[in-house]
């Protein structure tokens, strides 16, 4: 496995790759865990060459978010990736990715940017689109792998690939969870013991809702039930809970037994913001 940190070296590597080789890309911000590994394993299985990028992208963090303290451990990440059969770890320097501080071009996402994570993280999705489009240009993959834990991000990137004509397939991979159900996240390391215990309430609430969704006659009633459930946990501060159509991310007004419904949740545990989602009816 080769680690490349300089852009010029990556360009040279990419130029020399034989054109018939299929390339899988797994974009990450590092602090890798089994959730990332599931994406990597799939890429290794489906492609001749697998490239994992590790880049804590400054433009997707808000001014008061955790960019500075985001966990970084390139050595441990590389050791982990070497066991998974990765060909190249691309860990570029921010100065190479964004050579000028203020870029001339800024993305604006029109749909999907007024809901879910985009409300409390106003420029986040635009930052993701910016960095992922740069990574796509640099690596020119055949397939790119993303986790459905970031369901809204996945949906936005599917639109990006379609609208900007990137010649590649976006592959969505299921959420990997810890024993007990907590969705794996690099941010879970921030949680103290009590926060970690109470963080289980997110996935537990989603699972319980899934098992009893037939008993609700409206999305409003589901929301009220979730708020009441989570109010039992003093360390949990709900950011949002939504039930949306998984294909359009539009709100669901009326539903029947056939309606595809997907639940989305975000909550703060102390300073740490966690997200999760679950298909309710399909
Ligand atoms: P991140 O390093 O947090 O930017 O995540 C990199 C990729 O890994 C994204 O596509 C995430 O959706 C995905 N990912 C993170 N956590 C999980 C998880 N628990 N299960 C599946 N995919 C995940």
């Amino acid at each position: 496995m080769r680690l490349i940190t300089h852009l010029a070296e990556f360009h040279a590597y990419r130029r020399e790759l034989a054109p018939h080789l299929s390339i899988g890309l797994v974009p990450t911000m590092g602090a890798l865990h089994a959730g990332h590994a599931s994406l990597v394993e799939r890429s290794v299985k489906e492609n001749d060459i697998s490239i994992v990028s590790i880049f804590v992208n400054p433009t997707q963090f808000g001014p008061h978010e955790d960019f500075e303290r985001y966990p970084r451990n390139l050595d441990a990440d590389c050791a982990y990736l070497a066991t998974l059969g990765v060909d190249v770890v691309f860990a570029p320097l921010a100065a190479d990715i964004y050579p000028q501080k203020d870029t001339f071009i800024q993305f604006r996402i029109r749909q999907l940017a007024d809901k879910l994570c985009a409300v409390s993280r106003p420029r986040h999705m635009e930052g993701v689109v910016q960095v992922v489009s740069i990574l796509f240009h640099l690596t020119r993959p055949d397939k790119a792998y993303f986790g459905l834990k970031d369901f809204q991000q996945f949906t936005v990137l599917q639109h990006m690939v379609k609208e900007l004509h990137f010649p590649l397939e976006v592959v969505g991979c299921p959420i990997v969870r810890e024993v007990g159900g907590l969705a794996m996240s690099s941010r879970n390391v921030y949680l103290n013991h009590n926060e970690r215990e109470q963080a289980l309430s997110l996935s537990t609430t989603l699972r319980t809702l899934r098992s009893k969704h037939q008993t609700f006659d409206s999305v409003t009633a589901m929301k009220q039930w979730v708020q009441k459930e989570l109010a039992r946990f003093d360390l949990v501060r709900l950011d949002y809970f939504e039930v949306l159509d998984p294909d359009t991310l539009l709100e669901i007004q009326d539903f029947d037994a056939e309606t595809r419904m997907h639940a989305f949740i975000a909550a703060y545990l102390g300073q740490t913001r966690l997200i999760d989602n679950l298909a309710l009816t399909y």
Side-chain angles (χ1 to χ4, degrees):
M1 190 184 78
R2 184 165 159 193
L3 169 66
I4 301 180
T5 55
H6 285 94
L7 198 52
E9 186 186 347
F10 188 80
H11 278 312
Y13 163 78
R14 181 65 189 85
R15 227 178 6 246
E16 281 155 25
L17 274 181
H20 68 273
L21 296 175
S22 63
I23 298 176
L25 172 69
V26 183
T28 81
M29 298 203 301
L32 302 178
H33 50 68
H36 298 109
S38 71
L39 276 54
V40 172
E41 281 162 358
R42 181 133 178 223
S43 173
V44 168
K45 199 154 67 183
E46 296 181 355
N47 300 280
D48 298 318
I49 298 285
S50 285
I51 300 172
V52 176
S53 63
I54 298 181
F55 182 62
V56 184
N57 173 39
T59 69
Q60 72 189 66
F61 287 79
H64 305 295
E65 291 185 348
D66 55 345
F67 174 70
E68 296 297 339
R69 69 176 190 130
Y70 196 84
R72 291 164 172 88
N73 196 340
L74 188 57
D75 290 344
D77 288 345
C78 286
Y80 190 28
L81 292 173
T83 68
L84 300 175
V86 170
D87 298 277
V88 165
V89 177
F90 177 43
L93 308 171
D96 277 349
I97 296 295
Y98 302 117
Q100 51 193 45
K101 195 166 172 291
D102 295 314
T103 52
F104 274 44
I105 295 170
Q106 200 174 54
F107 287 92
R108 185 163 74 89
I109 299 169
R110 292 178 60 236
Q111 306 290 329
L112 309 177
D114 57 348
K115 59 181 63 175
L116 301 177
C117 292
V119 177
S120 54
R121 307 190 72 189
R123 297 279 314 155
H124 171 70
M125 289 295 161
E126 284 80 359
V128 170
V129 163
Q130 180 183 27
V131 75
V132 173
S133 61
I134 291 170
L135 291 169
F136 284 177
H137 286 304
L138 296 175
T139 52
R140 304 193 298 284
D142 297 286
K143 292 186 178 184
Y145 297 81
F146 296 92
L148 294 176
K149 177 170 145 325
D150 300 276
F151 199 100
Q152 183 182 18
Q153 166 179 292
F154 174 74
T155 307
V156 167
L157 291 174
Q158 275 184 315
H159 283 285
M160 179 189 93
V161 161
K162 199 164 159 231
E163 292 180 18
L164 299 184
H165 297 271
F166 280 101
L168 60 90
E169 185 189 337
V170 175
V171 181
C173 304
I175 301 177
V176 176
R177 298 176 180 281
E178 294 181 4
V179 180
L182 178 64
M184 287 197 176
S185 164
S186 304
R187 291 191 167 94
N188 289 352
V189 299
Y190 298 149
L191 301 172
N192 66 31
H193 177 76
N194 292 338
E195 290 167 347
R196 183 172 276 268
E197 293 235 306
Q198 294 205 9
L200 290 173
S201 63
L202 271 62
S203 55
T204 308
T205 302
L206 291 179
R207 275 203 311 262
T208 309
L209 183 62
R210 180 182 163 88
S211 66
K212 59 187 274 177
H213 71 268
Q214 293 99 335
T215 63
F216 293 93
D217 58 7
S218 70
V219 169
T220 307
M222 288 186 199
K223 287 186 181 176
Q224 283 165 352
W225 178 81
V226 166
Q227 277 163 7
K228 222 170 103 208
E229 279 295 295
L230 293 177
R232 298 191 288 127
F233 299 92
D234 60 335
L235 302 177
V236 178
R237 186 163 54 85
L238 189 61
D239 181 18
Y240 63 70
F241 169 79
E242 300 287 347
V243 177
L244 305 174
D245 177 316
D247 302 313
T248 60
L249 297 190
L250 291 174
E251 278 180 26
I252 290 167
Q253 308 297 347
D254 304 312
F255 58 83
D256 57 28
E258 318 286 65
T259 310
R260 280 157 59 81
M261 292 198 270
H262 202 101
F264 298 86
I265 197 165
Y268 291 91
L269 281 286
Q271 300 293 312
T272 308
R273 187 171 172 284
L274 300 180
I275 59 174
D276 201 348
N277 67 82
L278 191 68
L280 289 185
T281 60
Y282 65 100

